[in-house]
Amino acid sequence: MRTGREVSNYRIISHRNITRAQFSRTADGNQIRFRWQAAESGTLTVSDIKLESNFSHVNTTGNQVIITDIFFPVNCRLYYTMTNPLSGQSYESTLEFEISEAGFWTVTLNNN
């Protein structure tokens, strides 16, 4: 994953302890949904999720975080902790990005 790359209507500004971030726009609207693949498969757990941005509503359900009522373009900083339930080893991850086009976005994060 390269910092500063621009693809379509999003740009990754910085990242730490994230091996891959996928951005997909599925429809018109003003929402961003975050997914953690390792947490969904049960290999890691996600906790201590913090978001900084110009959004109105944050909904957290299990391993998903959904931001609604966003004003685009949006710059967002996401902080969270990943823990391996078997070893107990934890590490902090961060992602800062910008999305310039309004829509329903899904950001899928991969941590090892």
Side-chain angles (χ1 to χ4, degrees):
M1 190 164 73
R2 292 182 294 155
T3 303
R5 71 181 178 148
E6 187 163 348
V7 180
S8 301
N9 296 306
Y10 72 87
R11 179 172 67 105
I12 296 172
I13 298 167
S14 66
H15 62 89
R16 182 178 70 182
N17 293 326
I18 299 172
T19 54
R20 188 167 147 196
Q22 294 175 277
F23 291 72
S24 61
R25 183 183 183 280
T26 57
D28 292 336
N30 62 345
Q31 175 179 305
I32 301 172
R33 179 177 74 147
F34 296 92
R35 296 180 55 229
W36 287 267
Q37 290 216 295
E40 289 175 358
S41 68
T43 57
L44 297 173
T45 59
V46 62
S47 61
D48 301 326
I49 301 168
K50 296 175 188 73
L51 289 162
E52 296 176 1
S53 187
N54 59 334
F55 47 81
S56 298
H57 298 91
V58 178
N59 300 312
T60 304
T61 306
N63 293 323
Q64 286 190 30
V65 175
I66 299 172
I67 307 169
T68 57
D69 299 332
I70 300 170
F71 297 100
F72 289 89
V74 63
N75 186 296
C76 187
R77 288 185 198 101
L78 174 66
Y79 305 90
Y80 59 95
T81 301
M82 294 300 287
T83 304
N84 181 318
L86 296 176
S87 69
Q89 186 176 19
S90 294
Y91 55 92
E92 293 181 3
S93 298
T94 61
L95 176 67
E96 182 177 4
F97 63 91
E98 178 180 89
I99 298 176
S100 57
E101 181 183 2
F104 284 160
W105 288 86
T106 300
V107 179
T108 304
L109 301 166
N110 293 298
N111 297 77
N112 288 341

